[in-house]
Amino acid sequence: MEPFTPRTRTGTRKKNITLSAKEYTKITGTIASVRRNRLTQEDLDEGIAGNGRLSRESRAKNQSEPSFIAETSFVRAPLNSRVSSVSAVPNVKGKAKQEPLDHIPLEIQEALILEDMLYILMGIEGAYITFHPDYSVEDDDPLQGIRFVVSPTLDPSLRDLVERILPLGTYYTAIMSFVELRSHLDYGLVNHALCASIRDMLRDYQTLLSQLEHAFSTSAQFTLQKLWFYIHPTIHTLSLIYQLVLELGTADDPRNDLDSSSSPNTSDAEEDARNEALGLGGAKLKAVLSEMDKNGLDVASDSGISVMGGEVLTIIYERMQNMSGDPTANTLYGTLLHAAGKPYVAMLRMWIMTGRLVDPYEELLVKESKFINRGILEMDYTDEYWERRYTLRDGSTLAAPSKRRQAGVPPPRSIGGRLPGGACVPPLLEGWKHKILLAGKYLNVIRECGIEIRRDSSHSMDEELTMDDEKFYVFVEDAYTHANRTLLQLLLRDQQLIPRLSSLKRYFFLSQSSFLTHMLDLSHSELRKTAKSASIVKLQSLLDLALNTDSQGDDTLFREDVKVTMATSGLYEWLLNVVNVSGVIGGEEREPEAHYEEQKKEKDDKKPMLAIDALALDYTVKFPLSLVISRKTILRYQLLFRFLLHLKHVEQSLSAMWIEQKMTSWRTPLPHHQELERWRLRVFLLRARMLSFVQQILAFATFEVLEPNWRALEGKLAKVTTVDQLLRDHVDVLDTCLKECMLTSSKLLRAYSRLIVTCSTFALYTSSFTKSANQAIAASETPDGDQAMSKRWEFLGKFETNFNHWFKVKISSHHFQSVFDVPQVYLNCVQFYASSENVSLLPLVVRLNSVKTGA
């Protein structure tokens, strides 16, 4: 007989299922032994008194008794027939009439104990080795195993050897209970594979027991010492499996870790005293847990998720690492890790090879939000399809690899801090989890497009790979590279991403294009209406006309995808609310409560929004381009478009004011009315300063911000290697444009909005100024002269004061510190941010210094 060692069973089944002579002898010997042990103690006494032979009456008396007990579980099938009537039926008369062993010769004691030991090794109570008095089938945790005690009348020389072997019975019962429990469907494929591997190992153990029983039945030289010799190597092996199943069985139950009395490997008295002093154990804590149970509180598992999937593999791997100095433990845990990881690896390979997530028990590190589908991209401003349809269960992303606590991520275990179930990423896959996620993600997008995914024959699913094999990670890397390259080619070549982005730049950034000017001229009367009364259908027709007139060559591509839409709120009001309240676009601190009250008052007092202030463009794209040109990127394009459109409209209005002020009423010299001459000069100067300010902002945004950043994006797209890098570069460029256009700073945005509103309002009073000039000329020719000049100065002074205040005010030499005291000073704000936070604003400082404050 060879000692039991863990091994995988790779042999094939015998074609001939008949029993050999040796096997037949073993089975008949086992059955005879079972039948002998079903006799009562009185029959045994008679047999011992009669030189070990049973009387004919005794044999006839027990012939009617069944030899086997009905099977209750397919897991308990091996050697089930060894269950005796003594252990199966309580209060058996023979068991009740046990005699003390101290009156029996030592040889007979050893024979009786050997017979009992063969029962104990199978977890069955014997005649002289019984269950511990504190053991209860209803109350005790079966995963802790059954403890056995030896009759106190056994000879001390035998007792010491028996107590060394007794833990095997505890180990075996605990392991069998674990296998039976975790073989249920709810515990997932990894637990099923682990239980199958453990059951395979226990089959070798049961074979050893059959051989030991045969030796006991046929050899008079089989002693307790020989039993110890053969069983000794197995004790260490089963103890390793027992420690593993104990950790797996109690990982989601903190009470099992706290209740040291429930485990046979109890801590010493000194440790118990220390734990109780620290409040980590003892009767008080057990009483609290018991009270919580009575109140219906679940303290067994903080997360409510069983130990399954990646968590099982993590526990096995950690035990293997912690006991790497033990060759037996290293081999055993390596075998179990290999076996338990097979279904996990199979699911991973299916995911990274086809983009299909087949995870019926939620064991894999990747999860799917099935309520998110490609149809949501039509109205999704947060790009949920790409970001949230397939995610890692631990909540980590490439941008925030250590982010754990977020929506949908289960809380960690109270004991150990490990994430539960499939959210626990096996340590061997920790560095590869993002590539695993993205590989399947990319293929899933390709599959959603109706494109067949073809793989090389070298990546066959029949090839066996394990997580501790270098070939597995080469396979993951190849799968990621293939998926990434395939999707990248689909976007750039088949879906024409680069021309799409070029059209977006042309339509939204207003560079090298005159279609917007043409459209503003055509829709001038419609844009003067309120946003609610303006006709979107008419504006769309005018936009199509402008695009058809202006388009040439490649410019005609994708023009049918550009649509007119109306925003529900003003640009600057919306941006200020976002920056101040949610901080989505900027990173500014929240504003004081006074600013909120000011915005609320302005909102209550404001007039209906004009169509020109609400006008925006939308862009329609289909899947999969909607992953790159998603709603959140379209929103950024719209913000930049509305910013440039407002500047362009104010510039046109001020230019139209200049054209009107070339009329006779503005150019006729009036030597006798010098005050009117000065008033007209001041109007000219204020209009010129406003126009210069608007043109400098527009030129800076167009030539200093948008064009250089877009050239940088084109350079990145020419060298892009991954889809995620493509998505990230696109959004980063748009965010940079928003920041450098001063749309993410609440202080700059507030000052700029007041200035541009002042300029647009001043342009609206063009006809009023012309009327005032005509009235002044007519009044100067009357005998009474012009009496309303003071009102004209007062009206103009309001615009001058407002513009000068918001643009530039003479303050102390410590103006950088005063920016926060007077945040409305736009030029000083720009200078401060250019010198401290945003160097890209330095060209704007130079441009604005040319716009001087009037006298």
Side-chain angles (χ1 to χ4, degrees):
M1 291 180 296
E2 297 181 356
F4 164 63
T5 55
R7 65 178 184 271
T8 57
R9 304 183 65 88
T10 58
T12 58
R13 295 180 178 269
K14 296 181 180 180
K15 295 182 179 180
N16 188 3
I17 61 174
T18 59
L19 298 175
S20 63
K22 187 176 180 180
E23 291 173 338
Y24 181 80
T25 303
K26 288 183 179 180
I27 292 176
T28 55
T30 301
I31 295 175
S33 175
V34 171
R35 288 175 173 172
R36 286 199 305 271
N37 282 280
R38 290 184 179 278
L39 303 179
T40 63
Q41 186 66 27
E42 294 176 352
D43 295 331
L44 288 174
D45 293 340
E46 293 177 3
I48 293 174
N51 295 326
R53 295 184 178 179
L54 297 176
S55 64
R56 182 177 301 176
E57 292 80 8
S58 299
R59 290 196 298 271
K61 177 182 178 182
N62 292 279
Q63 283 179 352
S64 59
E65 294 184 3
S67 299
F68 299 90
I69 292 180
E71 180 60 40
T72 57
S73 169
F74 73 93
V75 182
R76 293 177 175 172
L79 296 184
N80 175 56
S81 59
R82 285 193 51 81
V83 180
S84 66
S85 59
V86 175
S87 60
V89 183
N91 300 324
V92 177
K93 182 178 179 181
K95 182 178 177 181
K97 291 187 176 183
Q98 288 179 8
E99 292 186 1
L101 291 173
D102 51 2
H103 299 300
I104 301 176
L106 190 61
E107 294 79 4
I108 302 300
Q109 288 189 37
E110 184 175 9
L112 293 174
I113 288 300
L114 268 174
E115 181 74 12
D116 268 10
M117 285 304 303
L118 293 175
Y119 283 102
I120 298 304
L121 294 179
M122 292 298 299
I124 302 170
E125 186 180 23
Y128 299 98
I129 305 177
T130 59
F131 296 152
H132 193 280
D134 296 337
Y135 172 73
S136 172
V137 178
E138 292 79 10
D139 299 334
D140 286 10
D141 184 5
L143 295 181
Q144 300 289 340
I146 300 175
R147 288 183 294 160
F148 298 93
V149 293
V150 188
S151 174
T153 59
L154 181 64
D155 186 86
S157 62
L158 299 176
R159 175 189 297 276
D160 180 65
L161 201 53
V162 168
E163 288 180 347
R164 295 184 191 179
I165 306 176
L166 280 184
L168 266 178
T170 302
Y171 300 158
Y172 180 78
T173 54
I175 295 170
M176 289 301 295
S177 298
F178 175 84
V179 170
E180 180 182 2
L181 176 64
R182 298 302 168 104
S183 294
H184 291 296
L185 295 178
D186 295 341
Y187 286 94
L189 300 178
V190 173
N191 272 317
H192 298 168
L194 175 64
C195 291
S197 181
I198 293 176
R199 193 183 303 118
D200 193 53
M201 292 180 176
L202 288 181
R203 192 175 298 115
D204 292 339
Y205 171 75
Q206 291 156 359
T207 301
L208 174 62
L209 293 186
S210 299
Q211 295 171 349
L212 292 174
E213 184 174 1
H214 177 70
F216 170 73
S217 302
T218 59
S219 174
Q221 287 77 29
F222 187 76
T223 63
L224 198 58
Q225 286 288 348
K226 283 191 176 183
L227 176 64
W228 168 252
F229 173 78
Y230 289 123
I231 212 73
H232 175 261
T234 308
I235 294 179
H236 180 53
T237 302
L238 284 192
S239 70
L240 294 174
I241 302 177
Y242 171 72
Q243 292 168 15
L244 173 63
V245 302
L246 192 64
E247 183 173 355
L248 290 171
T250 59
D252 56 352
D253 192 349
R255 292 176 298 182
N256 290 329
D257 292 329
L258 296 171
D259 188 3
S260 58
S261 63
S262 63
S263 173
N265 299 328
T266 56
S267 59
D268 54 22
E270 181 180 354
E271 185 178 357
D272 290 341
R274 182 172 64 252
N275 289 341
E276 186 160 1
L278 294 173
L280 299 178
K284 293 182 180 179
L285 185 55
K286 296 174 189 176
V288 172
L289 293 174
S290 177
E291 186 65 25
M292 293 176 70
D293 280 341
K294 292 178 182 178
N295 294 333
L297 299 176
D298 181 15
V299 297
S301 176
D302 292 343
S303 62
I305 300 176
S306 302
V307 179
M308 58 193 299
E311 189 177 8
V312 174
L313 301 178
T314 300
I315 292 175
I316 299 174
Y317 179 78
E318 289 177 352
R319 290 200 66 84
M320 184 174 70
Q321 293 298 108
N322 294 336
M323 303 186 69
S324 57
D326 185 349
T328 303
N330 200 39
T331 303
L332 174 68
Y333 291 143
T335 303
L336 293 177
L337 182 64
H338 183 190
K342 282 185 178 180
Y344 198 89
V345 171
M347 289 186 287
L348 277 182
R349 295 180 67 180
M350 176 67 72
W351 167 246
I352 64 179
M353 287 184 67
T354 65
R356 297 180 183 273
L357 187 61
V358 183
D359 184 16
Y361 301 103
E362 299 183 352
E363 301 173 271
L364 206 59
L365 55 89
V366 180
K367 71 174 180 179
E368 177 185 7
S369 298
K370 295 184 179 180
F371 67 92
I372 299 176
N373 52 47
R374 53 185 288 185
I376 202 172
L377 290 173
E378 299 298 328
M379 52 176 39
D380 174 30
Y381 276 89
T382 58
D383 198 13
E384 286 192 349
Y385 180 86
W386 181 256
E387 299 292 341
R388 292 180 52 196
R389 185 182 182 187
Y390 293 104
T391 56
L392 293 173
R393 291 190 186 275
D394 65 355
S396 62
T397 61
L398 285 172
S402 61
K403 187 177 181 180
R404 296 286 186 179
R405 295 295 300 172
Q406 63 178 16
V409 179
R413 304 286 188 195
S414 58
I415 303 297
R418 185 172 48 238
L419 289 177
C424 184
V425 180
L428 289 169
L429 299 178
E430 183 65 35
W432 295 84
K433 59 183 181 180
H434 295 295
K435 286 191 174 182
I436 291 172
L437 171 66
L438 293 176
K441 231 184 202 184
Y442 297 157
L443 293 179
N444 187 266
V445 172
I446 297 171
R447 188 167 55 85
E448 288 279 354
C449 296
I451 301 175
E452 181 182 357
I453 300 174
R454 298 179 180 177
R455 300 304 307 269
D456 299 334
S457 59
S458 57
H459 300 290
S460 174
M461 290 290 290
D462 298 333
E463 183 183 0
E464 183 176 351
L465 296 175
T466 59
M467 285 189 290
D468 55 353
D469 187 358
E470 185 68 24
K471 293 181 180 179
F472 174 71
Y473 300 101
V474 174
F475 172 76
V476 173
E477 183 67 33
D478 291 344
Y480 169 76
T481 303
H482 169 78
N484 179 74
R485 182 175 60 250
T486 305
L487 181 58
L488 202 58
Q489 291 177 354
L490 174 67
L491 293 174
L492 295 177
R493 184 185 60 190
D494 300 342
Q495 298 294 328
Q496 297 181 302
L497 176 62
I498 303 300
R500 285 278 187 178
L501 293 178
S502 298
S503 68
L504 272 171
K505 169 182 176 289
R506 177 179 178 273
Y507 296 135
F508 285 83
F509 288 178
L510 314 180
S511 59
Q512 301 175 356
S513 174
S514 59
F515 88 92
L516 183 67
T517 304
H518 190 193
M519 179 189 173
L520 291 177
D521 292 338
L522 292 174
S523 58
H524 176 72
S525 59
E526 194 71 23
L527 293 177
R528 291 175 62 90
K529 300 178 181 178
T530 62
K532 292 183 178 180
S533 59
S535 172
I536 296 182
V537 176
K538 184 176 182 180
L539 290 174
Q540 181 66 47
S541 300
L542 295 175
L543 174 64
D544 293 339
L545 179 61
L547 290 175
N548 292 332
T549 304
D550 186 59
S551 298
Q552 294 179 359
D554 293 340
D555 292 343
T556 60
L557 295 175
F558 317 120
R559 63 187 179 190
E560 66 278 1
D561 296 328
V562 184
K563 305 296 180 183
V564 172
T565 184
M566 286 289 176
T568 56
S569 60
L571 172 64
Y572 310 114
E573 174 188 343
W574 188 89
L575 285 173
L576 283 172
N577 288 335
V578 170
V579 172
N580 292 337
V581 178
S582 63
V584 172
I585 296 182
E588 294 281 333
E589 67 279 358
R590 294 189 177 186
E591 296 299 315
E593 188 68 26
H595 292 158
Y596 290 112
E597 297 298 331
E598 179 183 354
Q599 292 177 12
K600 184 178 179 181
K601 183 178 179 181
E602 290 175 358
K603 186 175 181 180
D604 296 337
D605 298 340
K606 70 178 182 179
K607 297 179 180 179
M609 186 169 53
L610 296 178
I612 185 62
D613 295 326
L615 179 66
L617 295 183
D618 201 358
Y619 197 79
T620 305
V621 290
K622 296 181 180 180
F623 188 86
L625 276 184
S626 53
L627 296 176
V628 181
I629 310 175
S630 63
R631 297 309 306 174
K632 70 177 183 180
T633 57
I634 291 294
L635 175 62
R636 288 167 167 81
Y637 279 108
Q638 288 176 336
L639 294 177
L640 290 169
F641 171 79
R642 295 180 66 188
F643 168 71
L644 297 174
L645 174 65
H646 201 198
L647 282 171
K648 197 75 175 175
H649 172 67
V650 174
E651 181 191 24
Q652 277 192 337
S653 299
L654 292 174
S655 298
M657 186 178 186
W658 171 74
I659 293 174
E660 183 169 338
Q661 288 178 354
K662 294 177 67 176
M663 297 171 59
T664 305
S665 58
W666 289 97
R667 299 297 180 181
T668 303
L670 297 173
H672 60 281
H673 202 332
Q674 293 297 324
E675 191 172 6
L676 178 61
E677 290 281 355
R678 290 194 302 272
W679 180 82
R680 290 191 304 188
L681 182 61
R682 291 282 285 274
V683 172
F684 292 157
L685 180 61
L686 182 58
R687 184 255 309 150
R689 290 179 57 237
M690 287 183 175
L691 181 60
S692 177
F693 167 75
V694 172
Q695 288 175 339
Q696 294 296 347
I697 295 290
L698 186 60
F700 168 76
T702 303
F703 300 109
E704 304 284 354
V705 175
L706 299 180
E707 285 295 334
N709 281 292
W710 194 262
R711 298 302 176 205
L713 175 62
E714 290 178 342
K716 292 179 179 179
L717 292 180
K719 298 182 293 184
V720 68
T721 57
T722 67
V723 176
D724 267 79
Q725 181 184 351
L726 168 66
L727 299 175
R728 187 168 56 252
D729 289 343
H730 186 210
V731 174
D732 286 348
V733 165
L734 294 177
D735 287 341
T736 302
C737 292
L738 287 171
K739 181 179 179 182
E740 294 182 359
C741 286
M742 303 164 290
L743 300 181
T744 60
S745 169
S746 60
K747 296 178 176 61
L748 287 172
L749 191 59
R750 182 176 291 106
Y752 166 78
S753 63
R754 296 299 177 87
L755 274 171
I756 202 69
V757 168
T758 300
C759 295
S760 61
T761 306
F762 181 74
L764 290 176
Y765 282 93
T766 299
S767 57
S768 298
F769 282 114
T770 301
K771 183 178 179 180
S772 295
N774 291 329
Q775 290 176 350
I777 294 174
S780 63
E781 297 176 355
T782 61
D784 297 334
D786 187 7
Q787 303 296 326
M789 204 63 211
S790 59
K791 293 183 178 180
R792 298 187 184 94
W793 278 111
E794 182 181 359
F795 185 72
L796 176 61
K798 291 181 179 179
F799 283 103
E800 286 185 328
T801 302
N802 204 5
F803 182 77
N804 290 336
H805 171 75
W806 291 103
F807 180 67
K808 181 175 176 58
V809 178
K810 295 182 180 179
I811 56 178
S812 64
S813 59
H814 303 287
H815 60 279
F816 287 129
Q817 182 179 358
S818 301
V819 167
F820 295 101
D821 298 330
V822 190
Q824 296 84 3
V825 182
Y826 182 68
L827 181 56
N828 289 337
C829 285
V830 174
Q831 290 174 342
F832 173 76
Y833 279 98
S835 62
S836 61
E837 297 181 13
N838 196 348
V839 184
S840 60
L841 293 179
L842 287 174
L844 181 61
V845 175
V846 177
R847 289 176 178 272
L848 292 181
N849 279 326
S850 63
V851 186
K852 300 298 182 181
T853 304

